Amino acid sequence: WAALFGWMFLDEKIDRVRAAALLTGAAGLLILSVPFWPAIAAGGVPFGLLYVLGAAVTWAMGTVYLKKFPVAAPPLTVTTWQVAVAAVACTIGLALFETPRMDLSSPQVAAAFAYHVALPQSLSYALWFSLLRSVPATTASLGTLLIPIFGVIGAILLLGDWPTPLDLAGFAFILIAVIADQVYRAFGQKMG
């Protein structure tokens, strides 16, 4: 989505290598979505799939917007505001929609919630805003295709939840896409 929006609103070119990388990454995501196909074929659209698609589109829109209209502040300042607003939104969402209710009176639960809302988000946003200032939106967003792979690695390490052969095929396509684009950007353009 960011590549499409970047092409439309930032005049970022999609050359043959990037187009091939985007198509390969999309094929990987399509393979990962196979478990949803029976529900879609039956005329339903799983809410989880809609949420993920909505998150992807809005993230891409925000990325392109920030690239076109950069915030005149250091990445750490932007990150602080982003995390503060997100923490308020998460807390409101928790109070309104979380069932069963999370017991924030427990110090362990409150600490886990605060950690989840603040620390990983802070690090991710600080890195993202710094990266976005130095590379095209399309290049930055192609790297986000790696997120499902890291999620599965975490599931393996923490839960012992091993990926299926279909998952591995999807991950292979995604890795090929990201590596092809990044290697070409790093070495191919210098040589050609």
Side-chain angles (χ1 to χ4, degrees), residues 79 83-84 87 111-127:
T79 299
V83 171
F113 179 70
Y115 166 83
H116 176 72
V117 170
L119 188 61
Q121 296 298 326
S122 299
L123 179 60
S124 297
Y125 278 118
L127 292 171

Side-chain angles (χ1 to χ4, degrees), residues 5-76:
F5 295 147
W7 171 72
M8 290 168 53
F9 301 112
L10 301 175
D11 199 32
E12 289 185 359
K13 304 297 182 223
I14 300 177
D15 58 25
R16 279 184 262 152
V17 173
R18 181 154 288 150
L22 287 167
L23 288 173
T24 304
L29 293 173
L30 189 64
I31 291 169
L32 291 175
S33 72
V34 166
F36 292 108
W37 293 5
I40 294 169
V45 179
F47 282 118
L49 191 58
L50 289 176
Y51 294 151
V52 168
L53 183 59
V57 170
T58 56
W59 178 268
M61 290 168 57
T63 296
V64 169
Y65 181 85
L66 282 175
K67 194 71 179 166
K68 189 165 182 79
F69 305 104
V71 177
L76 192 55

Side-chain angles (χ1 to χ4, degrees), residues 72-143:
L76 192 55
T77 303
V78 177
T79 299
T80 301
W81 278 104
Q82 182 83 21
V83 171
V85 170
V88 170
C90 286
T91 304
I92 292 169
L94 169 78
L96 294 176
F97 303 111
E98 184 69 26
T99 53
R101 297 282 181 228
M102 187 184 298
D103 181 13
L104 290 177
S105 65
S106 162
Q108 292 88 354
V109 173
F113 179 70
Y115 166 83
H116 176 72
V117 170
L119 188 61
Q121 296 298 326
S122 299
L123 179 60
S124 297
Y125 278 118
L127 292 171
W128 180 253
F129 291 132
S130 297
L131 180 67
L132 202 53
R133 288 177 183 230
S134 60
V135 300
T138 304
T139 300
S141 61
L142 265 169

